[in-house]
Amino acid sequence: MVIIYFINVDNKGNTWFAKSIRPLPKGQSKISYAIKGLIEGPKKGEKANGVYSEIPSNTRVLKVKETKDKVIVDLSSEFQYGGGADSLYSRIKQLIKTSLANSKNKPVYL
């Protein structure tokens, strides 16, 4: 299983980081699969429950490299554009929370 963090909002406008748990296909790297799932965004059923992502939809995963002591995530430049300071904070926090949940306590570099 992998854990991906998106954002949820209730009917009063309160937001929080929502954990999405997805099955890990056999033979896949846990961190790589989780990052790709994060960048792809929430699935239809998750969206129906108010889950969304602050990561721009045109962001692409260029590379996820995992070594014995670290993880390096390379995303396209679209990740940094759009929205204001709160949006940028939220997308970085989504990436951090997802990475830490799936990287076996390795530092993650963007």
Side-chain angles (χ1 to χ4, degrees):
M1 302 302 265
V2 296
I3 298 170
I4 303 172
Y5 281 92
F6 295 113
I7 300 170
N8 203 337
V9 61
D10 63 20
N11 57 4
K12 295 180 183 178
N14 300 313
T15 61
W16 65 91
F17 292 96
K19 186 188 302 186
S20 176
I21 299 172
R22 296 184 181 168
L24 176 64
K26 188 173 184 172
Q28 293 281 325
S29 158
K30 189 173 184 178
I31 184 69
S32 184
Y33 187 76
I35 296 297
K36 288 175 184 172
L38 173 66
I39 300 305
E40 289 171 0
K43 295 187 180 285
K44 190 175 184 179
E46 294 166 333
K47 287 180 184 178
N49 290 323
V51 173
Y52 69 97
S53 178
E54 281 292 340
I55 297 172
S57 61
N58 56 351
T59 301
R60 295 177 329 279
V61 177
L62 301 177
K63 188 176 187 181
V64 177
K65 182 178 179 183
E66 185 175 14
T67 67
K68 66 177 183 152
D69 58 348
K70 66 183 170 187
V71 176
I72 300 170
V73 178
D74 187 11
L75 301 176
S76 64
S77 62
E78 290 85 0
F79 180 80
Q80 65 186 328
Y81 297 114
D86 287 341
S87 175
L88 184 57
Y89 170 81
S90 292
R91 72 184 76 148
I92 290 172
K93 191 71 173 176
Q94 281 181 257
L95 180 63
I96 290 169
K97 290 177 80 60
T98 298
S99 297
L100 292 176
N102 296 286
S103 67
K104 300 179 186 174
N105 297 320
K106 294 178 187 178
V108 178
Y109 298 91
L110 177 61

